[in-house]
Amino acid sequence: MNPSDGAEMAQTSHIVDLRSDTVTRPTPSMRSFMMAAPVGDDVFDEDPTVHELQQKVAQYFGHEAALFVPSGTMANQIAVRVHTRPGDELLCEASSHIYVWEAGGPAALSGVTCRPLATDDGLLTVDRLEGKIRPDNEHYPRTRLVCLENTHNRAGGRVVPLSLMQDVRRWASSHGLAVHLDGARLWNAIVATGVDGAQWGECVDSLSVCFSKGLGAPVGSCLVGSRELIASARRVRKLFGGGMRQAGVIAAAALFALEHHVDRLAEDHRHARLIAEALADCPGVKLTPPTVETNLVWFEIDPELGTARDVQEALRREGILILSTGPQECRAVTHLDVSPTDAARSAEVIRRVLRSTRTIRGIGRERLPGSD
Ligand SMILES: *Cc1c(COP(=O)(O)O)cnc(C)c1O
């Protein structure tokens, strides 16, 4: 940051961070709850708070068991490992987190190839899956697993409809394939649709959920499935280095979040729509997709207006942080630490800054590469 930036930022009383829903900080009440949590050694399976969380989460999704792990990535990669053998293949949507944003985990950790299926809307329908199972022949990998994502991050935080998931489940079962759901933001789908956890849970053999995104916990995810699957998952968690000791301290944050931070996601969705409406009012900005269903707002910048970095920088100067995710592509995300005032101010700044086209172009170039 150069000194003039500092002066500009100083005028901004408060920064609104819309880069991701992972930037939330534990609230004072959450911290108190964490402080008071009874703990034990969870590798010995003796942490009462972790037990309570695992039981609650399993029950919430109508499954037998759950396992607390450090991250959503680990939950997904443990699932891939327990559902497959080396040389197997999994089917996934081409822009899914498991395929794109987990550092090549299926190949590196499980010896599994991904068959990414490109879609224009992120929806892995049975129509699109049909015909993608390899014939039973020694030349081919063995198709073993379908991975879904709900809400779908790259598809704009879109909710994958329950009926689609039910259809995929039926199709997969009839072909002997397992179904895993990356439900990092399944909470958002639950609140957006009113369809409860057990109904989503019924469509899958395993699912992962994150507590460290919209729910506002500092860390932690759960993998959910049958007792047998979770017993294998426990061994893989140890193998991947995810066995934790007095993990009740962080499991308590997840328990607190489950109790207090699920229903309020509706507020994040309202705030996201407010920001999306402001963006839709700006010439040269296109919402992708045009409809915002949950807390993610993805949008494209017309080169006439500038680049994604120009937009990121112009908003940063006004105390609004968003993410440029490609040359012309941006993302803004609402979450627990975005108040109604913050959301209103973000919408106001976006309208004011992005509607004055001439001030945007080239702004992002003034900064040193990698300085953000
Ligand atoms: C964030 C995210 C994850 C997991 O991320 P971690 O940072 O490893 O917790 C998994 N899937 C999706 C769709 C995500 O957005």
Side-chain angles (χ1 to χ4, degrees), residues 102-164:
E102 300 191 4
L109 300 173
S110 300
V112 164
T113 55
C114 293
R115 187 165 188 188
L117 305 174
T119 70
D120 49 0
D121 54 10
L123 300 178
L124 209 55
T125 57
V126 168
D127 269 1
R128 288 162 173 171
L129 287 162
E130 200 75 69
K132 302 299 190 297
I133 299 174
R134 307 279 183 184
D136 182 12
N137 175 305
E138 66 189 22
H139 292 82
Y140 295 117
R142 193 177 67 138
T143 312
R144 184 63 204 111
L145 175 67
V146 180
C147 293
L148 299 173
E149 184 175 313
N150 204 1
T151 63
H152 194 304
N153 179 354
R154 191 56 199 82
R158 170 173 273 146
V159 177
V160 176
L162 183 70
S163 59
L164 184 154

Short mmCIF file of all heavy atoms in Angstrom, two decimals, residues 102-164:
data_model
loop_
_atom_site.label_atom_id
_atom_site.label_comp_id
_atom_site.label_asym_id
_atom_site.label_seq_id
_atom_site.Cartn_x
_atom_site.Cartn_y
_atom_site.Cartn_z
N GLU A 102 -8.96 -27.63 -5.38
CA GLU A 102 -8.45 -28.44 -4.28
C GLU A 102 -7.08 -29.03 -4.63
O GLU A 102 -6.74 -30.14 -4.21
CB GLU A 102 -9.50 -29.48 -3.84
CG GLU A 102 -10.77 -28.74 -3.37
CD GLU A 102 -11.82 -29.57 -2.67
OE1 GLU A 102 -11.59 -30.78 -2.42
OE2 GLU A 102 -12.88 -29.00 -2.36
N ALA A 103 -6.31 -28.27 -5.41
CA ALA A 103 -4.90 -28.57 -5.64
C ALA A 103 -4.66 -29.95 -6.26
O ALA A 103 -3.63 -30.57 -6.02
CB ALA A 103 -4.11 -28.41 -4.33
N GLY A 104 -5.61 -30.41 -7.05
CA GLY A 104 -5.42 -31.72 -7.70
C GLY A 104 -5.55 -32.88 -6.72
O GLY A 104 -5.00 -33.96 -6.96
N GLY A 105 -6.31 -32.67 -5.65
CA GLY A 105 -6.46 -33.67 -4.59
C GLY A 105 -6.82 -35.08 -5.05
O GLY A 105 -6.16 -36.04 -4.64
N PRO A 106 -7.83 -35.24 -5.91
CA PRO A 106 -8.20 -36.61 -6.29
C PRO A 106 -7.02 -37.38 -6.89
O PRO A 106 -6.81 -38.56 -6.56
CB PRO A 106 -9.33 -36.40 -7.32
CG PRO A 106 -9.95 -35.10 -6.90
CD PRO A 106 -8.80 -34.25 -6.42
N ALA A 107 -6.22 -36.70 -7.77
CA ALA A 107 -5.05 -37.36 -8.36
C ALA A 107 -3.96 -37.58 -7.31
O ALA A 107 -3.40 -38.67 -7.20
CB ALA A 107 -4.51 -36.51 -9.51
N ALA A 108 -3.67 -36.52 -6.55
CA ALA A 108 -2.53 -36.57 -5.64
C ALA A 108 -2.77 -37.47 -4.43
O ALA A 108 -1.88 -38.16 -3.97
CB ALA A 108 -2.19 -35.16 -5.16
N LEU A 109 -4.00 -37.47 -3.91
CA LEU A 109 -4.26 -38.16 -2.65
C LEU A 109 -4.94 -39.52 -2.82
O LEU A 109 -4.86 -40.36 -1.93
CB LEU A 109 -5.12 -37.27 -1.74
CG LEU A 109 -4.51 -35.92 -1.37
CD1 LEU A 109 -5.52 -35.06 -0.63
CD2 LEU A 109 -3.25 -36.10 -0.53
N SER A 110 -5.63 -39.71 -3.94
CA SER A 110 -6.39 -40.95 -4.10
C SER A 110 -6.07 -41.70 -5.38
O SER A 110 -6.63 -42.77 -5.61
CB SER A 110 -7.91 -40.65 -4.05
OG SER A 110 -8.25 -40.06 -2.82
N GLY A 111 -5.22 -41.15 -6.25
CA GLY A 111 -4.92 -41.81 -7.52
C GLY A 111 -6.14 -41.92 -8.41
O GLY A 111 -6.30 -42.86 -9.18
N VAL A 112 -7.02 -40.91 -8.31
CA VAL A 112 -8.30 -40.94 -9.02
C VAL A 112 -8.31 -39.86 -10.11
O VAL A 112 -7.84 -38.75 -9.88
CB VAL A 112 -9.46 -40.71 -8.02
CG1 VAL A 112 -10.76 -40.36 -8.71
CG2 VAL A 112 -9.64 -41.96 -7.15
N THR A 113 -8.82 -40.20 -11.29
CA THR A 113 -8.97 -39.19 -12.34
C THR A 113 -10.36 -38.58 -12.26
O THR A 113 -11.32 -39.26 -11.88
CB THR A 113 -8.77 -39.78 -13.75
OG1 THR A 113 -9.68 -40.87 -13.91
CG2 THR A 113 -7.36 -40.28 -13.96
N CYS A 114 -10.43 -37.30 -12.63
CA CYS A 114 -11.71 -36.61 -12.67
C CYS A 114 -12.16 -36.54 -14.11
O CYS A 114 -11.37 -36.27 -15.01
CB CYS A 114 -11.58 -35.18 -12.15
SG CYS A 114 -11.19 -35.08 -10.40
N ARG A 115 -13.45 -36.77 -14.34
CA ARG A 115 -14.02 -36.51 -15.66
C ARG A 115 -14.93 -35.30 -15.52
O ARG A 115 -16.09 -35.43 -15.11
CB ARG A 115 -14.78 -37.72 -16.16
CG ARG A 115 -15.24 -37.53 -17.60
CD ARG A 115 -15.67 -38.84 -18.19
NE ARG A 115 -15.94 -38.71 -19.61
CZ ARG A 115 -16.48 -39.69 -20.33
NH1 ARG A 115 -16.80 -40.85 -19.76
NH2 ARG A 115 -16.69 -39.52 -21.61
N PRO A 116 -14.39 -34.12 -15.82
CA PRO A 116 -15.17 -32.89 -15.64
C PRO A 116 -16.16 -32.71 -16.78
O PRO A 116 -15.79 -32.83 -17.94
CB PRO A 116 -14.10 -31.79 -15.66
CG PRO A 116 -12.94 -32.36 -16.40
CD PRO A 116 -13.02 -33.85 -16.32
N LEU A 117 -17.41 -32.45 -16.45
CA LEU A 117 -18.45 -32.26 -17.47
C LEU A 117 -18.83 -30.78 -17.51
O LEU A 117 -19.29 -30.22 -16.52
CB LEU A 117 -19.68 -33.13 -17.13
CG LEU A 117 -19.36 -34.62 -16.95
CD1 LEU A 117 -20.60 -35.38 -16.48
CD2 LEU A 117 -18.83 -35.23 -18.25
N ALA A 118 -18.57 -30.15 -18.67
CA ALA A 118 -18.81 -28.72 -18.81
C ALA A 118 -20.32 -28.45 -18.92
O ALA A 118 -21.03 -29.16 -19.63
CB ALA A 118 -18.09 -28.19 -20.03
N THR A 119 -20.78 -27.43 -18.19
CA THR A 119 -22.19 -27.02 -18.28
C THR A 119 -22.21 -25.50 -18.35
O THR A 119 -21.24 -24.85 -17.96
CB THR A 119 -23.00 -27.46 -17.04
OG1 THR A 119 -22.55 -26.68 -15.92
CG2 THR A 119 -22.81 -28.93 -16.72
N ASP A 120 -23.31 -24.92 -18.81
CA ASP A 120 -23.39 -23.46 -18.83
C ASP A 120 -24.00 -22.92 -17.54
O ASP A 120 -23.95 -21.74 -17.27
CB ASP A 120 -24.21 -22.98 -20.04
CG ASP A 120 -25.53 -23.73 -20.16
OD1 ASP A 120 -25.81 -24.60 -19.30
OD2 ASP A 120 -26.30 -23.44 -21.11
N ASP A 121 -24.55 -23.80 -16.72
CA ASP A 121 -25.26 -23.34 -15.53
C ASP A 121 -24.85 -24.06 -14.23
O ASP A 121 -25.45 -23.87 -13.19
CB ASP A 121 -26.77 -23.50 -15.74
CG ASP A 121 -27.13 -24.94 -16.14
OD1 ASP A 121 -26.26 -25.83 -16.06
OD2 ASP A 121 -28.29 -25.15 -16.54
N GLY A 122 -23.83 -24.92 -14.32
CA GLY A 122 -23.35 -25.61 -13.13
C GLY A 122 -24.19 -26.81 -12.72
O GLY A 122 -23.88 -27.48 -11.74
N LEU A 123 -25.25 -27.09 -13.47
CA LEU A 123 -26.16 -28.16 -13.06
C LEU A 123 -25.80 -29.50 -13.71
O LEU A 123 -25.89 -29.64 -14.94
CB LEU A 123 -27.61 -27.78 -13.38
CG LEU A 123 -28.11 -26.49 -12.71
CD1 LEU A 123 -29.55 -26.18 -13.15
CD2 LEU A 123 -28.03 -26.59 -11.19
N LEU A 124 -25.42 -30.45 -12.89
CA LEU A 124 -25.05 -31.77 -13.39
C LEU A 124 -26.32 -32.64 -13.41
O LEU A 124 -26.60 -33.39 -12.49
CB LEU A 124 -24.00 -32.38 -12.45
CG LEU A 124 -22.99 -33.35 -13.03
CD1 LEU A 124 -22.26 -32.75 -14.22
CD2 LEU A 124 -21.98 -33.76 -11.96
N THR A 125 -27.08 -32.51 -14.50
CA THR A 125 -28.34 -33.24 -14.62
C THR A 125 -28.07 -34.67 -15.09
O THR A 125 -26.99 -34.97 -15.61
CB THR A 125 -29.26 -32.57 -15.66
OG1 THR A 125 -28.53 -32.52 -16.90
CG2 THR A 125 -29.62 -31.15 -15.26
N VAL A 126 -29.06 -35.53 -14.93
CA VAL A 126 -28.93 -36.92 -15.39
C VAL A 126 -28.67 -36.95 -16.90
O VAL A 126 -27.85 -37.72 -17.38
CB VAL A 126 -30.18 -37.74 -15.01
CG1 VAL A 126 -30.18 -39.09 -15.73
CG2 VAL A 126 -30.23 -37.96 -13.50
N ASP A 127 -29.35 -36.05 -17.63
CA ASP A 127 -29.11 -35.94 -19.08
C ASP A 127 -27.64 -35.78 -19.40
O ASP A 127 -27.13 -36.35 -20.36
CB ASP A 127 -29.83 -34.71 -19.65
CG ASP A 127 -31.23 -35.06 -20.12
OD1 ASP A 127 -31.60 -36.25 -19.98
OD2 ASP A 127 -31.92 -34.15 -20.61
N ARG A 128 -26.99 -34.96 -18.60
CA ARG A 128 -25.57 -34.66 -18.86
C ARG A 128 -24.66 -35.78 -18.36
O ARG A 128 -23.52 -35.91 -18.81
CB ARG A 128 -25.20 -33.32 -18.21
CG ARG A 128 -25.81 -32.16 -18.96
CD ARG A 128 -25.84 -30.89 -18.15
NE ARG A 128 -26.28 -29.77 -18.99
CZ ARG A 128 -26.58 -28.55 -18.52
NH1 ARG A 128 -26.49 -28.31 -17.24
NH2 ARG A 128 -26.98 -27.62 -19.34
N LEU A 129 -25.14 -36.56 -17.39
CA LEU A 129 -24.35 -37.67 -16.85
C LEU A 129 -24.50 -38.93 -17.71
O LEU A 129 -23.57 -39.74 -17.80
CB LEU A 129 -24.80 -37.98 -15.42
CG LEU A 129 -24.40 -36.97 -14.35
CD1 LEU A 129 -25.25 -37.15 -13.09
CD2 LEU A 129 -22.93 -37.09 -14.01
N GLU A 130 -25.66 -39.04 -18.31
CA GLU A 130 -25.99 -40.22 -19.12
C GLU A 130 -24.91 -40.48 -20.17
O GLU A 130 -24.46 -39.55 -20.84
CB GLU A 130 -27.34 -39.97 -19.81
CG GLU A 130 -28.05 -41.23 -20.29
CD GLU A 130 -28.68 -42.02 -19.16
OE1 GLU A 130 -29.66 -41.54 -18.55
OE2 GLU A 130 -28.17 -43.12 -18.88
N GLY A 131 -24.46 -41.74 -20.26
CA GLY A 131 -23.46 -42.09 -21.26
C GLY A 131 -22.03 -41.84 -20.82
O GLY A 131 -21.09 -42.11 -21.56
N LYS A 132 -21.84 -41.30 -19.61
CA LYS A 132 -20.48 -40.96 -19.16
C LYS A 132 -19.86 -42.05 -18.28
O LYS A 132 -18.74 -41.90 -17.80
CB LYS A 132 -20.49 -39.63 -18.40
CG LYS A 132 -21.03 -38.45 -19.21
CD LYS A 132 -20.19 -38.22 -20.46
CE LYS A 132 -20.54 -36.91 -21.16
NZ LYS A 132 -21.94 -36.87 -21.66
N ILE A 133 -20.60 -43.13 -18.06
CA ILE A 133 -20.02 -44.24 -17.30
C ILE A 133 -19.21 -45.11 -18.25
O ILE A 133 -19.70 -45.51 -19.30
CB ILE A 133 -21.12 -45.06 -16.60
CG1 ILE A 133 -21.89 -44.17 -15.63
CG2 ILE A 133 -20.53 -46.27 -15.88
CD1 ILE A 133 -23.09 -44.83 -15.00
N ARG A 134 -17.95 -45.37 -17.90
CA ARG A 134 -17.09 -46.16 -18.79
C ARG A 134 -17.58 -47.61 -18.84
O ARG A 134 -17.99 -48.16 -17.81
CB ARG A 134 -15.66 -46.18 -18.25
CG ARG A 134 -15.08 -44.82 -17.96
CD ARG A 134 -14.57 -44.15 -19.20
NE ARG A 134 -13.94 -42.87 -18.86
CZ ARG A 134 -13.46 -42.03 -19.76
NH1 ARG A 134 -13.53 -42.32 -21.05
NH2 ARG A 134 -12.92 -40.89 -19.39
N PRO A 135 -17.49 -48.21 -20.02
CA PRO A 135 -17.85 -49.63 -20.13
C PRO A 135 -16.93 -50.48 -19.25
O PRO A 135 -15.80 -50.08 -18.96
CB PRO A 135 -17.62 -49.94 -21.61
CG PRO A 135 -17.54 -48.63 -22.31
CD PRO A 135 -17.07 -47.63 -21.30
N ASP A 136 -17.43 -51.62 -18.84
CA ASP A 136 -16.63 -52.55 -18.03
C ASP A 136 -15.63 -53.24 -18.95
O ASP A 136 -15.95 -54.23 -19.61
CB ASP A 136 -17.59 -53.57 -17.38
CG ASP A 136 -16.82 -54.53 -16.49
OD1 ASP A 136 -15.64 -54.28 -16.20
OD2 ASP A 136 -17.42 -55.56 -16.08
N ASN A 137 -14.43 -52.69 -19.01
CA ASN A 137 -13.42 -53.13 -19.96
C ASN A 137 -12.08 -52.75 -19.37
O ASN A 137 -11.93 -51.66 -18.83
CB ASN A 137 -13.68 -52.39 -21.30
CG ASN A 137 -12.62 -52.66 -22.35
OD1 ASN A 137 -11.42 -52.46 -22.12
ND2 ASN A 137 -13.06 -53.09 -23.51
N GLU A 138 -11.08 -53.63 -19.49
CA GLU A 138 -9.79 -53.40 -18.81
C GLU A 138 -9.06 -52.13 -19.27
O GLU A 138 -8.15 -51.67 -18.61
CB GLU A 138 -8.89 -54.62 -19.00
CG GLU A 138 -8.47 -54.82 -20.46
CD GLU A 138 -7.74 -56.15 -20.68
OE1 GLU A 138 -7.91 -57.06 -19.87
OE2 GLU A 138 -7.00 -56.22 -21.68
N HIS A 139 -9.44 -51.57 -20.42
CA HIS A 139 -8.77 -50.36 -20.90
C HIS A 139 -9.16 -49.11 -20.12
O HIS A 139 -8.43 -48.13 -20.11
CB HIS A 139 -9.12 -50.10 -22.38
CG HIS A 139 -8.57 -51.11 -23.30
ND1 HIS A 139 -9.19 -52.32 -23.53
CD2 HIS A 139 -7.44 -51.11 -24.06
CE1 HIS A 139 -8.47 -53.02 -24.39
NE2 HIS A 139 -7.40 -52.30 -24.72
N TYR A 140 -10.32 -49.13 -19.51
CA TYR A 140 -10.89 -47.90 -18.96
C TYR A 140 -10.69 -47.78 -17.46
O TYR A 140 -10.59 -48.79 -16.75
CB TYR A 140 -12.41 -47.88 -19.22
CG TYR A 140 -12.78 -47.80 -20.68
CD1 TYR A 140 -13.47 -48.85 -21.28
CD2 TYR A 140 -12.44 -46.68 -21.44
CE1 TYR A 140 -13.83 -48.78 -22.62
CE2 TYR A 140 -12.79 -46.61 -22.77
CZ TYR A 140 -13.48 -47.66 -23.37
OH TYR A 140 -13.84 -47.59 -24.68
N PRO A 141 -10.67 -46.53 -16.98
CA PRO A 141 -10.81 -46.38 -15.52
C PRO A 141 -12.20 -46.86 -15.12
O PRO A 141 -13.11 -46.89 -15.94
CB PRO A 141 -10.65 -44.87 -15.30
CG PRO A 141 -10.95 -44.22 -16.60
CD PRO A 141 -10.64 -45.22 -17.68
N ARG A 142 -12.33 -47.21 -13.84
CA ARG A 142 -13.63 -47.65 -13.35
C ARG A 142 -14.40 -46.43 -12.83
O ARG A 142 -13.95 -45.77 -11.87
CB ARG A 142 -13.41 -48.66 -12.22
CG ARG A 142 -14.63 -49.45 -11.80
CD ARG A 142 -14.29 -50.47 -10.72
NE ARG A 142 -13.91 -49.81 -9.47
CZ ARG A 142 -14.30 -50.20 -8.26
NH1 ARG A 142 -15.07 -51.26 -8.12
NH2 ARG A 142 -13.91 -49.54 -7.19
N THR A 143 -15.53 -46.10 -13.45
CA THR A 143 -16.33 -44.96 -12.99
C THR A 143 -17.01 -45.34 -11.68
O THR A 143 -17.68 -46.37 -11.60
CB THR A 143 -17.41 -44.58 -14.04
OG1 THR A 143 -16.79 -44.51 -15.32
CG2 THR A 143 -18.05 -43.25 -13.70
N ARG A 144 -16.80 -44.52 -10.66
CA ARG A 144 -17.18 -44.98 -9.33
C ARG A 144 -18.02 -43.99 -8.54
O ARG A 144 -18.79 -44.34 -7.67
CB ARG A 144 -15.85 -45.27 -8.57
CG ARG A 144 -15.95 -45.85 -7.22
CD ARG A 144 -16.59 -47.22 -7.20
NE ARG A 144 -17.16 -47.45 -5.89
CZ ARG A 144 -18.46 -47.51 -5.63
NH1 ARG A 144 -19.35 -47.42 -6.60
NH2 ARG A 144 -18.88 -47.69 -4.40
N LEU A 145 -17.85 -42.69 -8.84
CA LEU A 145 -18.39 -41.66 -7.94
C LEU A 145 -18.89 -40.45 -8.72
O LEU A 145 -18.26 -40.05 -9.70
CB LEU A 145 -17.26 -41.24 -6.98
CG LEU A 145 -17.48 -40.11 -5.99
CD1 LEU A 145 -18.52 -40.51 -4.94
CD2 LEU A 145 -16.17 -39.73 -5.30
N VAL A 146 -20.02 -39.89 -8.27
CA VAL A 146 -20.50 -38.60 -8.79
C VAL A 146 -20.34 -37.57 -7.68
O VAL A 146 -20.76 -37.81 -6.54
CB VAL A 146 -21.99 -38.66 -9.20
CG1 VAL A 146 -22.46 -37.31 -9.72
CG2 VAL A 146 -22.23 -39.75 -10.23
N CYS A 147 -19.71 -36.44 -7.99
CA CYS A 147 -19.59 -35.36 -7.00
C CYS A 147 -20.45 -34.17 -7.41
O CYS A 147 -20.31 -33.65 -8.52
CB CYS A 147 -18.14 -34.92 -6.86
SG CYS A 147 -17.09 -36.21 -6.14
N LEU A 148 -21.33 -33.76 -6.51
CA LEU A 148 -22.19 -32.60 -6.74
C LEU A 148 -21.73 -31.46 -5.83
O LEU A 148 -21.00 -31.69 -4.86
CB LEU A 148 -23.65 -32.95 -6.44
CG LEU A 148 -24.27 -34.06 -7.29
CD1 LEU A 148 -25.66 -34.42 -6.75
CD2 LEU A 148 -24.36 -33.65 -8.76
N GLU A 149 -22.19 -30.26 -6.12
CA GLU A 149 -21.84 -29.09 -5.29
C GLU A 149 -23.07 -28.22 -5.11
O GLU A 149 -23.71 -27.84 -6.09
CB GLU A 149 -20.71 -28.32 -5.99
CG GLU A 149 -20.18 -27.13 -5.20
CD GLU A 149 -18.97 -26.49 -5.90
OE1 GLU A 149 -18.05 -27.23 -6.33
OE2 GLU A 149 -18.96 -25.26 -6.03
N ASN A 150 -23.42 -27.91 -3.85
CA ASN A 150 -24.63 -27.16 -3.57
C ASN A 150 -24.46 -26.32 -2.30
O ASN A 150 -24.17 -26.89 -1.25
CB ASN A 150 -25.81 -28.13 -3.39
CG ASN A 150 -27.15 -27.49 -3.67
OD1 ASN A 150 -27.23 -26.34 -4.03
ND2 ASN A 150 -28.21 -28.27 -3.48
N THR A 151 -24.59 -24.98 -2.40
CA THR A 151 -24.78 -24.21 -3.60
C THR A 151 -23.51 -24.30 -4.46
O THR A 151 -22.43 -24.55 -3.93
CB THR A 151 -25.06 -22.72 -3.31
OG1 THR A 151 -23.93 -22.13 -2.66
CG2 THR A 151 -26.26 -22.59 -2.38
N HIS A 152 -23.69 -24.08 -5.75
CA HIS A 152 -22.55 -24.17 -6.66
C HIS A 152 -21.86 -22.81 -6.71
O HIS A 152 -22.43 -21.83 -7.19
CB HIS A 152 -23.04 -24.60 -8.04
CG HIS A 152 -21.93 -25.04 -8.95
ND1 HIS A 152 -20.85 -24.25 -9.24
CD2 HIS A 152 -21.74 -26.20 -9.62
CE1 HIS A 152 -20.03 -24.91 -10.07
NE2 HIS A 152 -20.56 -26.09 -10.31
N ASN A 153 -20.63 -22.77 -6.22
CA ASN A 153 -19.87 -21.53 -6.08
C ASN A 153 -19.71 -20.83 -7.43
O ASN A 153 -20.22 -19.73 -7.66
CB ASN A 153 -18.51 -21.88 -5.44
CG ASN A 153 -17.60 -20.67 -5.26
OD1 ASN A 153 -17.90 -19.56 -5.70
ND2 ASN A 153 -16.49 -20.88 -4.59
N ARG A 154 -19.02 -21.50 -8.36
CA ARG A 154 -18.67 -20.86 -9.63
C ARG A 154 -19.90 -20.62 -10.52
O ARG A 154 -19.86 -19.78 -11.41
CB ARG A 154 -17.63 -21.73 -10.35
CG ARG A 154 -16.98 -21.10 -11.52
CD ARG A 154 -16.33 -19.79 -11.14
NE ARG A 154 -16.09 -18.96 -12.31
CZ ARG A 154 -16.99 -18.19 -12.91
NH1 ARG A 154 -18.24 -18.14 -12.45
NH2 ARG A 154 -16.69 -17.47 -13.95
N ALA A 155 -20.97 -21.35 -10.25
CA ALA A 155 -22.19 -21.11 -11.02
C ALA A 155 -23.01 -19.99 -10.38
O ALA A 155 -24.21 -19.85 -10.63
CB ALA A 155 -23.01 -22.38 -11.13
N GLY A 156 -22.38 -19.20 -9.51
CA GLY A 156 -23.04 -18.00 -8.98
C GLY A 156 -23.78 -18.23 -7.68
O GLY A 156 -24.73 -17.50 -7.38
N GLY A 157 -23.36 -19.21 -6.91
CA GLY A 157 -24.06 -19.48 -5.65
C GLY A 157 -25.44 -20.04 -5.89
O GLY A 157 -26.35 -19.94 -5.07
N ARG A 158 -25.59 -20.65 -7.07
CA ARG A 158 -26.89 -21.20 -7.47
C ARG A 158 -27.25 -22.43 -6.62
O ARG A 158 -26.40 -23.24 -6.29
CB ARG A 158 -26.81 -21.59 -8.94
CG ARG A 158 -27.95 -22.38 -9.46
CD ARG A 158 -27.82 -22.54 -10.95
NE ARG A 158 -28.42 -21.42 -11.65
CZ ARG A 158 -27.97 -20.91 -12.80
NH1 ARG A 158 -26.91 -21.40 -13.36
NH2 ARG A 158 -28.60 -19.92 -13.37
N VAL A 159 -28.53 -22.53 -6.29
CA VAL A 159 -29.02 -23.71 -5.59
C VAL A 159 -29.25 -24.82 -6.62
O VAL A 159 -29.92 -24.60 -7.63
CB VAL A 159 -30.35 -23.42 -4.86
CG1 VAL A 159 -30.90 -24.68 -4.20
CG2 VAL A 159 -30.17 -22.30 -3.84
N VAL A 160 -28.68 -25.98 -6.37
CA VAL A 160 -28.98 -27.15 -7.20
C VAL A 160 -30.30 -27.71 -6.67
O VAL A 160 -30.38 -28.10 -5.50
CB VAL A 160 -27.86 -28.21 -7.10
CG1 VAL A 160 -28.21 -29.45 -7.89
CG2 VAL A 160 -26.53 -27.62 -7.58
N PRO A 161 -31.35 -27.75 -7.49
CA PRO A 161 -32.68 -28.12 -6.97
C PRO A 161 -32.70 -29.54 -6.39
O PRO A 161 -31.99 -30.42 -6.88
CB PRO A 161 -33.58 -28.04 -8.21
CG PRO A 161 -32.85 -27.22 -9.20
CD PRO A 161 -31.39 -27.40 -8.93
N LEU A 162 -33.51 -29.71 -5.35
CA LEU A 162 -33.64 -31.02 -4.70
C LEU A 162 -34.02 -32.09 -5.72
O LEU A 162 -33.48 -33.21 -5.69
CB LEU A 162 -34.69 -30.95 -3.59
CG LEU A 162 -34.88 -32.23 -2.78
CD1 LEU A 162 -33.66 -32.50 -1.89
CD2 LEU A 162 -36.14 -32.17 -1.92
N SER A 163 -34.93 -31.75 -6.63
CA SER A 163 -35.41 -32.76 -7.60
C SER A 163 -34.26 -33.25 -8.48
O SER A 163 -34.17 -34.44 -8.79
CB SER A 163 -36.52 -32.17 -8.46
OG SER A 163 -36.04 -31.04 -9.15
N LEU A 164 -33.35 -32.34 -8.85
CA LEU A 164 -32.19 -32.74 -9.65
C LEU A 164 -31.32 -33.72 -8.85
O LEU A 164 -30.88 -34.76 -9.36
CB LEU A 164 -31.36 -31.51 -10.04
CG LEU A 164 -30.15 -31.73 -10.96
CD1 LEU A 164 -29.83 -30.46 -11.75
CD2 LEU A 164 -28.89 -32.19 -10.23
#
